[in-house]
PDB file of all heavy atoms in Angstrom:
ATOM      1  N   ILE A 458     -71.883 174.411 -23.172  1.00 98.00           N
ATOM      2  CA  ILE A 458     -71.057 174.734 -22.006  1.00 98.00           C
ATOM      3  C   ILE A 458     -69.679 175.215 -22.446  1.00 98.00           C
ATOM      4  O   ILE A 458     -69.156 176.205 -21.921  1.00 98.00           O
ATOM      5  CB  ILE A 458     -70.933 173.502 -21.086  1.00 98.00           C
ATOM      6  CG1 ILE A 458     -72.284 173.197 -20.431  1.00 98.00           C
ATOM      7  CG2 ILE A 458     -69.846 173.710 -20.030  1.00 98.00           C
ATOM      8  CD1 ILE A 458     -72.315 171.883 -19.681  1.00 98.00           C
ATOM      9  N   ALA A 459     -69.095 174.508 -23.419  1.00 98.00           N
ATOM     10  CA  ALA A 459     -67.762 174.879 -23.897  1.00 98.00           C
ATOM     11  C   ALA A 459     -67.755 176.285 -24.484  1.00 98.00           C
ATOM     12  O   ALA A 459     -66.809 177.060 -24.283  1.00 98.00           O
ATOM     13  CB  ALA A 459     -67.277 173.868 -24.931  1.00 98.00           C
ATOM     14  N   LYS A 460     -68.815 176.654 -25.197  1.00 98.00           N
ATOM     15  CA  LYS A 460     -68.896 177.996 -25.795  1.00 98.00           C
ATOM     16  C   LYS A 460     -69.028 179.090 -24.731  1.00 98.00           C
ATOM     17  O   LYS A 460     -68.701 180.250 -24.990  1.00 98.00           O
ATOM     18  CB  LYS A 460     -70.064 178.066 -26.774  1.00 98.00           C
ATOM     19  CG  LYS A 460     -69.820 177.323 -28.086  1.00 98.00           C
ATOM     20  CD  LYS A 460     -68.784 178.047 -28.958  1.00 98.00           C
ATOM     21  CE  LYS A 460     -69.338 179.314 -29.552  1.00 98.00           C
ATOM     22  NZ  LYS A 460     -68.338 179.987 -30.435  1.00 98.00           N
ATOM     23  N   GLU A 461     -69.515 178.741 -23.558  1.00 98.00           N
ATOM     24  CA  GLU A 461     -69.573 179.702 -22.458  1.00 98.00           C
ATOM     25  C   GLU A 461     -68.184 179.945 -21.867  1.00 98.00           C
ATOM     26  O   GLU A 461     -67.959 180.966 -21.215  1.00 98.00           O
ATOM     27  CB  GLU A 461     -70.521 179.206 -21.364  1.00 98.00           C
ATOM     28  CG  GLU A 461     -71.977 179.167 -21.792  1.00 98.00           C
ATOM     29  CD  GLU A 461     -72.882 178.604 -20.718  1.00 98.00           C
ATOM     30  OE1 GLU A 461     -72.361 178.210 -19.648  1.00 98.00           O
ATOM     31  OE2 GLU A 461     -74.108 178.548 -20.936  1.00 98.00           O
ATOM     32  N   ILE A 462     -67.279 178.999 -22.096  1.00 98.00           N
ATOM     33  CA  ILE A 462     -65.922 179.092 -21.562  1.00 98.00           C
ATOM     34  C   ILE A 462     -64.973 179.711 -22.578  1.00 98.00           C
ATOM     35  O   ILE A 462     -64.127 180.542 -22.243  1.00 98.00           O
ATOM     36  CB  ILE A 462     -65.425 177.692 -21.151  1.00 98.00           C
ATOM     37  CG1 ILE A 462     -66.337 177.099 -20.067  1.00 98.00           C
ATOM     38  CG2 ILE A 462     -63.975 177.744 -20.670  1.00 98.00           C
ATOM     39  CD1 ILE A 462     -66.083 175.636 -19.788  1.00 98.00           C
ATOM     40  N   SER A 463     -65.103 179.305 -23.839  1.00 97.00           N
ATOM     41  CA  SER A 463     -64.237 179.800 -24.911  1.00 97.00           C
ATOM     42  C   SER A 463     -65.070 180.070 -26.159  1.00 97.00           C
ATOM     43  O   SER A 463     -65.962 179.283 -26.493  1.00 97.00           O
ATOM     44  CB  SER A 463     -63.149 178.776 -25.234  1.00 97.00           C
ATOM     45  OG  SER A 463     -62.445 179.144 -26.412  1.00 97.00           O
ATOM     46  N   PRO A 464     -64.773 181.136 -26.884  1.00 95.00           N
ATOM     47  CA  PRO A 464     -65.505 181.387 -28.131  1.00 95.00           C
ATOM     48  C   PRO A 464     -65.090 180.457 -29.265  1.00 95.00           C
ATOM     49  O   PRO A 464     -65.771 180.375 -30.282  1.00 95.00           O
ATOM     50  CB  PRO A 464     -65.153 182.844 -28.460  1.00 95.00           C
ATOM     51  CG  PRO A 464     -63.825 183.062 -27.814  1.00 95.00           C
ATOM     52  CD  PRO A 464     -63.839 182.234 -26.561  1.00 95.00           C
ATOM     53  N   ARG A 465     -63.952 179.758 -29.082  1.00 96.00           N
ATOM     54  CA  ARG A 465     -63.425 178.920 -30.159  1.00 96.00           C
ATOM     55  C   ARG A 465     -63.451 177.460 -29.715  1.00 96.00           C
ATOM     56  O   ARG A 465     -62.647 177.029 -28.890  1.00 96.00           O
ATOM     57  CB  ARG A 465     -62.008 179.364 -30.519  1.00 96.00           C
ATOM     58  CG  ARG A 465     -61.967 180.831 -30.959  1.00 96.00           C
ATOM     59  CD  ARG A 465     -60.614 181.254 -31.461  1.00 96.00           C
ATOM     60  NE  ARG A 465     -60.205 180.442 -32.587  1.00 96.00           N
ATOM     61  CZ  ARG A 465     -59.018 179.845 -32.672  1.00 96.00           C
ATOM     62  NH1 ARG A 465     -58.133 179.951 -31.710  1.00 96.00           N
ATOM     63  NH2 ARG A 465     -58.710 179.137 -33.730  1.00 96.00           N
ATOM     64  N   VAL A 466     -64.408 176.712 -30.264  1.00 97.00           N
ATOM     65  CA  VAL A 466     -64.679 175.342 -29.827  1.00 97.00           C
ATOM     66  C   VAL A 466     -64.804 174.427 -31.041  1.00 97.00           C
ATOM     67  O   VAL A 466     -65.417 174.795 -32.048  1.00 97.00           O
ATOM     68  CB  VAL A 466     -65.980 175.285 -28.997  1.00 97.00           C
ATOM     69  CG1 VAL A 466     -66.334 173.845 -28.644  1.00 97.00           C
ATOM     70  CG2 VAL A 466     -65.852 176.134 -27.737  1.00 97.00           C
ATOM     71  N   LEU A 467     -64.242 173.242 -30.917  1.00 97.00           N
ATOM     72  CA  LEU A 467     -64.376 172.216 -31.947  1.00 97.00           C
ATOM     73  C   LEU A 467     -64.962 170.968 -31.316  1.00 97.00           C
ATOM     74  O   LEU A 467     -64.455 170.487 -30.299  1.00 97.00           O
ATOM     75  CB  LEU A 467     -63.012 171.891 -32.558  1.00 97.00           C
ATOM     76  CG  LEU A 467     -62.954 170.708 -33.544  1.00 97.00           C
ATOM     77  CD1 LEU A 467     -63.748 171.030 -34.803  1.00 97.00           C
ATOM     78  CD2 LEU A 467     -61.505 170.381 -33.904  1.00 97.00           C
ATOM     79  N   LEU A 468     -66.042 170.437 -31.898  1.00 98.00           N
ATOM     80  CA  LEU A 468     -66.636 169.188 -31.437  1.00 98.00           C
ATOM     81  C   LEU A 468     -66.390 168.118 -32.493  1.00 98.00           C
ATOM     82  O   LEU A 468     -66.797 168.280 -33.638  1.00 98.00           O
ATOM     83  CB  LEU A 468     -68.133 169.355 -31.178  1.00 98.00           C
ATOM     84  CG  LEU A 468     -68.820 168.189 -30.463  1.00 98.00           C
ATOM     85  CD1 LEU A 468     -69.989 168.697 -29.624  1.00 98.00           C
ATOM     86  CD2 LEU A 468     -69.340 167.117 -31.436  1.00 98.00           C
ATOM     87  N   ARG A 469     -65.723 167.035 -32.096  1.00 97.00           N
ATOM     88  CA  ARG A 469     -65.430 165.928 -33.014  1.00 97.00           C
ATOM     89  C   ARG A 469     -66.290 164.719 -32.646  1.00 97.00           C
ATOM     90  O   ARG A 469     -66.140 164.144 -31.568  1.00 97.00           O
ATOM     91  CB  ARG A 469     -63.946 165.535 -32.892  1.00 97.00           C
ATOM     92  CG  ARG A 469     -62.938 166.565 -33.376  1.00 97.00           C
ATOM     93  CD  ARG A 469     -62.796 166.557 -34.886  1.00 97.00           C
ATOM     94  NE  ARG A 469     -62.516 165.246 -35.419  1.00 97.00           N
ATOM     95  CZ  ARG A 469     -61.285 164.740 -35.583  1.00 97.00           C
ATOM     96  NH1 ARG A 469     -60.226 165.460 -35.236  1.00 97.00           N
ATOM     97  NH2 ARG A 469     -61.104 163.540 -36.094  1.00 97.00           N
TER      98      ARG A 469
END
Side-chain angles (χ1 to χ4, degrees):
I458 291 171
K460 287 289 288 182
E461 293 177 358
I462 300 169
S463 170
R465 301 186 59 230
V466 175
L467 173 66
L468 190 150
R469 293 281 307 271

